[in-house]
Amino acid sequence: MKADERKKMILEYAKRLFSRKGYYNTQISDIVHEAKIARGTVYQYFKNKDDLFVTLIRNFYNEWERNISLGMHKIDLKTIDPVDYFFFRVRNTLQFLANDADLCNIVLRMGIGLSGGLESSIRRFEKKIQNLIIADLRLGIRNNHVRKDLNIEMTSNLITGALLRTALYFFTHKKNRINPAEIEKITREITGIFAPAIFIQKNI
Amino acid sequence: MKADERKKMILEYAKRLFSRKGYYNTQISDIVHEAKIARGTVYQYFKNKDDLFVTLIRNFYNEWERNISLGMHKIDLKTIDPVDYFFFRVRNTLQFLANDADLCNIVLRMGIGLSGGLESSIRRFEKKIQNLIIADLRLGIRNNHVRKDLNIEMTSNLITGALLRTALYFFTHKKNRINPAEIEKITREITGIFAPAIFIQKNI
Amino acid sequence: MKADERKKMILEYAKRLFSRKGYYNTQISDIVHEAKIARGTVYQYFKNKDDLFVTLIRNFYNEWERNISLGMHKIDLKTIDPVDYFFFRVRNTLQFLANDADLCNIVLRMGIGLSGGLESSIRRFEKKIQNLIIADLRLGIRNNHVRKDLNIEMTSNLITGALLRTALYFFTHKKNRINPAEIEKITREITGIFAPAIFIQKNI
Amino acid sequence: MKADERKKMILEYAKRLFSRKGYYNTQISDIVHEAKIARGTVYQYFKNKDDLFVTLIRNFYNEWERNISLGMHKIDLKTIDPVDYFFFRVRNTLQFLANDADLCNIVLRMGIGLSGGLESSIRRFEKKIQNLIIADLRLGIRNNHVRKDLNIEMTSNLITGALLRTALYFFTHKKNRINPAEIEKITREITGIFAPAIFIQKNI
DNA sequence: GATGAATGAGTCTTCATTCAT
DNA sequence: CATGAATGAAGACTCATTCAT
């Protein structure tokens, strides 16, 4: 097997195991046993267990960065309905998270208990998502779509928490695969809950 | 030192360490070193490391059960403004979590990565809080305060996620102690965000 | 067993094994097997294999520093015959090295092949002994006992090499214990070889 | 590249690495990386790591045997000044060792810590050189040049130790290349130190 | 009850060697 | 011949737990 494929394959098995059993309860033995390869092979492709884990997370980020703004460039910020904008953002995020339940589980659930660098590598994701929300809220205020008296720090926390928990709940707890239609429906509900309190209702 | 005090003291040190470093990165050595007691002493009071951890969590639950309905019995569900009811619930929850940043950190952040029973012992808290919210929403619908077309499963997730993240953000990330006035303010903001979409607006 | 005794005992077994098989061919398993203790016990007393080794060497140095000038303070440098002074120095050194064939073997024979800090910790001994010789030669020149045209760097190397090799040869190669009388004899021979070329022959 | 050249090239890289880092700290990886060849190629030319090392040492011996008596056949043992004879021997030995600092380092410094056969393969060199000295001393006694009361075992050790340490000191510690003139000078000093004690001074 | 020395199963990691391409 | 992916035995080190004092 070529180096590239083998590396990908090891990452795949590791991801599943880390997701199901966590970092510390996943042994290199488990990975090589599942992948039916020799113990040393893992170390040909990854410096150590940490490296394996961090590579997984890094890949996740890269993927996310590529996906989060998918289709957004077509949007004209001046003319789009701010509620639609919110809707797009939420849907893109959920769609992305729905793609990989294992990574979703790892990134959203693994909390403290990872030593040193590992934890912060995980935490970064939440920060990134929250920063995006903050930026969007500020943009909305400048464009007169979002209520000026909104507590941005607070609201960004509420939305981030609500969003991530929804993803975790629907994409990892529930076993059956989630289809785009369902994500559309979930997104509509989330938008319905947050929109009234956030946006300036122009045409009532 | 009396047996009871000694046990409490060990739990206290363990809590701080588990909170800061996680379960797997906290060694019995760390605990006995911090507590300035002998290695074996821990085992006089706890069957093993797991027991120590589970006892911590169990105490947390008992405390929570005692606190969550604090002052609620005085309320007449027939006459209270549903928004006030929501407000009370949120405040009680936040107040409770604000009391112990370490346990807050453990319960809200420790995710997968705990073997077997440990994880589920942690997960139970989120389920309990969500069930409470679901019960409250149903009650509201029966009493004609909450919109009938609300997706309860969905909404309970949004509120749970928003609430827990807020608690984590303000009570563990921020170093300075949170005072009741601040909690009051935070609670008002949360209520302000969720109320418009959840409750039937009778008097507009 | 008390901590102090146990530590000493482990060092003793480690010394013998390091001496006979070298650093890399001595496994922690070998040590615990010989000492009839558990694997972990070694790590209760030493941070790691390196630490065990370095402790051994450090003890050797401390011992040497204490021994090298043994009985020298009684000597009046102005009146003593310089050849006798040389004789005393050589005898003290040999006597010290004869006491512990294993450490002698480790310090004199273990060369390159020890990673990083380990090697330099060994090398220090040779430097120390050579520096002592250099200091003595300079002293001799100042006191008009040693020939002024002597190449000190060169000569110190010759004496160091000759001395250490003799120690290695007689104290570790030969199995039978060396007694003081033999050391006396060896010392006389060494003195006999070097004295004519080094000292100014006053009374011929 | 031809098989012969390739083998020589691998030996060259191995020698440098063994000399700098020792046997156990030199990995096959290091060698193939330095030589920019594939991992398996080494095993096309050498049975294993041991074989690589032993070949290195064997080459050294062959070279030494060829060199040690260089120019000695022209000498008439009956007429040559014994001090000159000693001088020639020392110079030849030093000249040979000065040629290859890396091998000098390996052979003179690598002590215990090599498993089984490897160590004895190294030790042989010291024995050979000492045996040569012993033979020369005996020859000197027979020819009435060397003092009859000399302790041969002892003296051979002193000379061997002095000689090897000098080689190590000047040819591996010192970075700058040693030229023939310097070797000549060093040889003269060594001869100056040992000659007075060893030879019968006929013409004073 | 308290102590802390001792235990040893369990893990990660290394690295010489093999072998199909 | 050359390659480099794969192997797996071997070794260092950790740490929860026990138990004699």
Side-chain angles (χ1 to χ4, degrees):
Chain A
M1 194 181 288
K2 284 222 198 76
D4 237 38
E5 294 174 57
R6 175 58 42 116
K7 189 168 184 175
K8 209 173 232 163
M9 167 206 168
I10 293 173
L11 278 170
E12 216 55 47
Y13 281 107
K15 183 169 69 184
R16 197 156 74 207
L17 284 161
F18 282 146
S19 163
R20 300 218 190 309
K21 321 206 309 169
Y23 182 80
Y24 289 103
N25 287 307
T26 298
Q27 269 66 62
I28 297 292
S29 305
D30 297 335
I31 296 171
V32 302
H33 184 255
E34 289 278 303
K36 293 192 212 320
I37 55 174
R39 191 162 274 277
T41 305
V42 171
Y43 290 89
Q44 194 128 51
Y45 296 96
F46 302 95
K47 217 163 69 59
N48 50 33
K49 200 179 159 187
D50 270 33
D51 184 33
L52 185 51
F53 186 79
V54 169
T55 303
L56 223 44
I57 304 298
R58 198 175 22 238
N59 286 355
F60 176 79
Y61 287 145
N62 294 340
E63 204 70 15
W64 184 69
E65 306 252 274
R66 279 223 326 274
N67 272 267
I68 190 55
S69 296
L70 224 64
M72 296 298 272
H73 61 277
K74 295 185 236 160
I75 290 172
D76 182 356
L77 283 172
K78 298 290 181 220
T79 59
I80 191 175
D81 179 344
V83 177
D84 287 348
Y85 180 82
F86 183 88
F87 179 90
F88 282 138
R89 282 293 205 199
V90 170
R91 194 187 53 190
N92 274 4
T93 304
L94 292 180
Q95 201 119 46
F96 172 70
L97 291 171
N99 274 338
D100 196 330
D102 283 327
L103 260 175
C104 187
N105 203 17
I106 291 173
V107 174
L108 300 187
R109 281 269 287 282
M110 271 197 190
I112 49 174
L114 296 173
S115 42
L118 292 193
E119 184 178 357
S120 69
S121 96
I122 286 273
R123 281 285 92 75
R124 253 171 46 203
F125 179 65
E126 298 185 359
K127 277 197 195 114
K128 279 189 172 188
I129 219 170
Q130 181 164 3
N131 285 338
L132 191 67
I133 292 172
I134 288 175
D136 277 352
L137 287 175
R138 292 223 171 96
L139 187 70
I141 287 176
R142 272 203 302 282
N143 287 337
N144 217 35
H145 296 320
V146 169
R147 289 169 44 195
K148 285 188 168 46
D149 59 335
L150 204 70
N151 181 335
I152 290 182
E153 185 188 20
M154 188 74 226
T155 309
S156 69
N157 265 309
L158 296 184
I159 298 176
T160 305
L163 211 56
L164 296 184
R165 181 163 179 92
T166 303
L168 195 63
Y169 186 83
F170 285 106
F171 308 153
T172 74
H173 290 197
K174 305 222 154 178
K175 303 297 170 196
N176 50 336
R177 289 300 266 141
I178 299 287
N179 58 47
E182 276 181 290
I183 290 181
E184 193 84 12
K185 193 169 139 262
I186 291 170
T187 305
R188 225 175 302 124
E189 305 254 22
I190 295 177
T191 308
I193 293 286
F194 283 106
I198 291 175
F199 297 109
I200 295 167
Q201 303 193 335
K202 291 181 173 169
N203 43 1
I204 290 185
Chain B
M1 195 181 286
K2 284 217 202 81
D4 231 41
E5 295 174 57
R6 170 75 32 125
K7 189 168 185 177
K8 205 173 232 164
M9 165 206 167
I10 294 173
L11 278 169
E12 215 55 46
Y13 282 108
K15 181 169 71 183
R16 195 157 73 209
L17 285 162
F18 282 145
S19 162
R20 302 217 191 307
K21 323 204 307 169
Y23 182 80
Y24 288 103
N25 287 309
T26 298
Q27 270 72 256
I28 297 292
S29 305
D30 298 334
I31 296 171
V32 301
H33 185 257
E34 289 277 302
K36 294 190 212 321
I37 56 174
R39 208 150 248 281
T41 305
V42 171
Y43 291 87
Q44 214 100 42
Y45 296 96
F46 302 94
K47 214 162 71 59
N48 51 33
K49 196 181 167 187
D50 272 31
D51 184 32
L52 186 52
F53 187 78
V54 169
T55 303
L56 222 46
I57 305 298
R58 197 175 23 239
N59 286 355
F60 175 79
Y61 288 147
N62 293 342
E63 204 71 13
W64 185 68
E65 306 253 272
R66 277 223 327 275
N67 272 266
I68 189 55
S69 297
L70 224 63
M72 296 299 270
H73 61 278
K74 296 184 235 162
I75 289 171
D76 182 357
L77 284 171
K78 297 291 181 218
T79 60
I80 191 174
D81 179 344
V83 176
D84 287 347
Y85 180 82
F86 183 88
F87 179 89
F88 283 137
R89 283 293 206 199
V90 170
R91 194 188 53 189
N92 275 3
T93 304
L94 291 180
Q95 201 118 47
F96 173 70
L97 291 170
N99 274 338
D100 196 332
D102 282 328
L103 260 174
C104 187
N105 203 17
I106 292 173
V107 175
L108 300 186
R109 282 270 285 280
M110 270 198 190
I112 49 175
L114 296 173
S115 42
L118 292 193
E119 183 178 359
S120 68
S121 96
I122 286 272
R123 281 285 92 76
R124 254 171 45 204
F125 179 66
E126 297 184 2
K127 277 196 194 115
K128 280 192 170 187
I129 218 170
Q130 182 165 6
N131 285 339
L132 190 67
I133 291 171
I134 289 175
D136 277 351
L137 286 175
R138 292 222 171 98
L139 186 70
I141 288 177
R142 273 204 302 284
N143 287 336
N144 217 35
H145 295 319
V146 169
R147 289 169 44 195
K148 285 194 168 42
D149 60 334
L150 202 70
N151 181 335
I152 289 181
E153 186 188 21
M154 187 74 226
T155 309
S156 69
N157 265 309
L158 296 184
I159 298 176
T160 306
L163 210 55
L164 297 183
R165 183 168 177 89
T166 303
L168 196 62
Y169 187 83
F170 284 105
F171 306 154
T172 74
H173 289 198
K174 303 221 153 177
K175 304 296 170 196
N176 48 337
R177 292 298 270 144
I178 299 288
N179 57 48
E182 276 180 291
I183 290 181
E184 193 83 13
K185 193 169 139 263
I186 292 170
T187 306
R188 225 176 300 127
E189 306 253 23
I190 295 178
T191 307
I193 294 285
F194 283 106
I198 291 175
F199 297 109
I200 296 168
Q201 302 191 335
K202 291 181 173 172
N203 45 0
I204 290 185
Chain C
M1 194 181 286
K2 286 224 197 73
D4 237 39
E5 294 174 58
R6 176 59 42 113
K7 189 167 185 176
K8 208 172 235 165
M9 166 205 169
I10 293 171
L11 280 170
E12 216 54 48
Y13 281 107
K15 182 169 68 182
R16 195 155 74 208
L17 284 161
F18 282 144
S19 164
R20 301 217 189 311
K21 321 206 308 170
Y23 182 80
Y24 289 102
N25 287 308
T26 298
Q27 269 67 61
I28 296 292
S29 305
D30 297 335
I31 296 171
V32 302
H33 185 256
E34 289 278 303
K36 292 191 213 320
I37 57 174
R39 191 163 276 277
T41 304
V42 172
Y43 291 91
Q44 194 129 52
Y45 297 96
F46 302 95
K47 217 163 72 55
N48 50 35
K49 199 179 161 186
D50 270 33
D51 183 33
L52 185 51
F53 186 79
V54 169
T55 302
L56 223 44
I57 304 299
R58 196 172 27 234
N59 286 355
F60 175 79
Y61 287 146
N62 294 341
E63 204 71 15
W64 184 68
E65 306 253 273
R66 278 223 325 275
N67 273 267
I68 189 56
S69 297
L70 226 62
M72 295 299 272
H73 62 276
K74 294 184 236 161
I75 289 171
D76 181 359
L77 284 172
K78 299 288 181 221
T79 59
I80 191 176
D81 179 345
V83 177
D84 288 346
Y85 179 82
F86 184 89
F87 179 89
F88 283 136
R89 283 292 205 199
V90 170
R91 195 187 52 189
N92 275 5
T93 304
L94 291 180
Q95 200 118 45
F96 172 70
L97 291 171
N99 274 337
D100 196 329
D102 283 327
L103 259 174
C104 188
N105 202 18
I106 291 175
V107 174
L108 300 186
R109 281 269 286 281
M110 272 196 189
I112 49 173
L114 295 173
S115 41
L118 292 193
E119 183 177 359
S120 70
S121 95
I122 286 274
R123 281 286 92 75
R124 254 172 45 204
F125 179 65
E126 298 184 0
K127 278 197 195 114
K128 279 189 172 188
I129 220 171
Q130 180 164 5
N131 285 339
L132 190 68
I133 292 172
I134 289 174
D136 276 353
L137 287 174
R138 292 223 171 97
L139 186 70
I141 289 176
R142 271 203 302 282
N143 287 337
N144 218 35
H145 296 319
V146 169
R147 289 169 42 197
K148 284 192 168 44
D149 60 334
L150 203 69
N151 181 337
I152 289 181
E153 184 187 21
M154 188 74 226
T155 309
S156 69
N157 266 309
L158 296 184
I159 297 177
T160 305
L163 210 55
L164 296 184
R165 181 166 179 90
T166 303
L168 195 64
Y169 187 83
F170 285 107
F171 308 152
T172 74
H173 289 198
K174 303 222 156 178
K175 303 297 171 196
N176 50 337
R177 290 299 269 143
I178 299 288
N179 58 47
E182 276 181 289
I183 291 181
E184 193 84 12
K185 195 170 139 260
I186 292 170
T187 305
R188 224 174 303 124
E189 306 254 21
I190 295 178
T191 307
I193 293 286
F194 284 106
I198 292 175
F199 298 108
I200 296 167
Q201 303 192 336
K202 293 182 173 171
N203 44 0
I204 291 186
Chain D
M1 195 182 286
K2 286 217 201 79
D4 232 39
E5 294 175 57
R6 171 72 34 122
K7 189 168 184 176
K8 205 174 231 164
M9 163 206 169
I10 293 173
L11 278 169
E12 214 54 47
Y13 282 108
K15 181 170 70 183
R16 196 159 70 208
L17 284 161
F18 282 144
S19 163
R20 302 218 190 308
K21 323 204 309 169
Y23 182 81
Y24 289 103
N25 287 309
T26 298
Q27 270 72 254
I28 298 291
S29 304
D30 298 334
I31 297 171
V32 301
H33 184 256
E34 289 277 302
K36 293 192 213 320
I37 56 174
R39 207 151 249 282
T41 305
V42 171
Y43 290 87
Q44 214 100 42
Y45 295 96
F46 302 95
K47 213 163 70 57
N48 51 32
K49 196 180 165 188
D50 271 32
D51 183 31
L52 186 51
F53 186 78
V54 170
T55 303
L56 222 46
I57 305 298
R58 194 172 30 237
N59 286 355
F60 175 79
Y61 287 148
N62 294 341
E63 203 72 13
W64 184 69
E65 306 252 273
R66 277 221 330 274
N67 272 267
I68 191 56
S69 297
L70 224 64
M72 295 300 272
H73 61 276
K74 296 185 235 158
I75 288 171
D76 181 359
L77 283 172
K78 298 288 181 220
T79 60
I80 190 174
D81 179 344
V83 176
D84 287 346
Y85 180 82
F86 182 90
F87 179 90
F88 283 138
R89 282 292 204 201
V90 170
R91 193 187 54 190
N92 275 5
T93 304
L94 290 180
Q95 200 118 47
F96 173 70
L97 291 170
N99 273 338
D100 196 330
D102 282 328
L103 260 174
C104 186
N105 204 17
I106 292 174
V107 174
L108 300 187
R109 280 270 284 280
M110 274 198 188
I112 48 175
L114 296 173
S115 44
L118 292 193
E119 183 177 359
S120 68
S121 95
I122 286 272
R123 281 285 93 75
R124 254 171 45 205
F125 179 66
E126 297 184 2
K127 277 196 195 113
K128 280 190 171 188
I129 219 170
Q130 182 165 4
N131 285 339
L132 191 68
I133 292 171
I134 289 174
D136 277 352
L137 287 175
R138 292 224 172 94
L139 187 69
I141 288 176
R142 270 203 303 282
N143 287 338
N144 217 35
H145 295 319
V146 169
R147 289 168 42 195
K148 285 191 169 43
D149 59 336
L150 204 68
N151 180 336
I152 290 183
E153 184 187 23
M154 188 74 228
T155 309
S156 69
N157 265 309
L158 296 184
I159 298 177
T160 306
L163 210 54
L164 297 185
R165 180 165 181 92
T166 303
L168 195 63
Y169 187 84
F170 285 106
F171 307 154
T172 75
H173 289 198
K174 304 222 155 177
K175 304 298 170 195
N176 49 335
R177 291 299 268 143
I178 299 288
N179 58 47
E182 276 180 289
I183 291 181
E184 194 83 12
K185 193 170 139 262
I186 291 170
T187 305
R188 225 174 301 125
E189 306 254 20
I190 295 177
T191 308
I193 293 285
F194 283 106
I198 291 176
F199 298 109
I200 296 167
Q201 303 191 335
K202 293 180 173 174
N203 45 0
I204 290 184

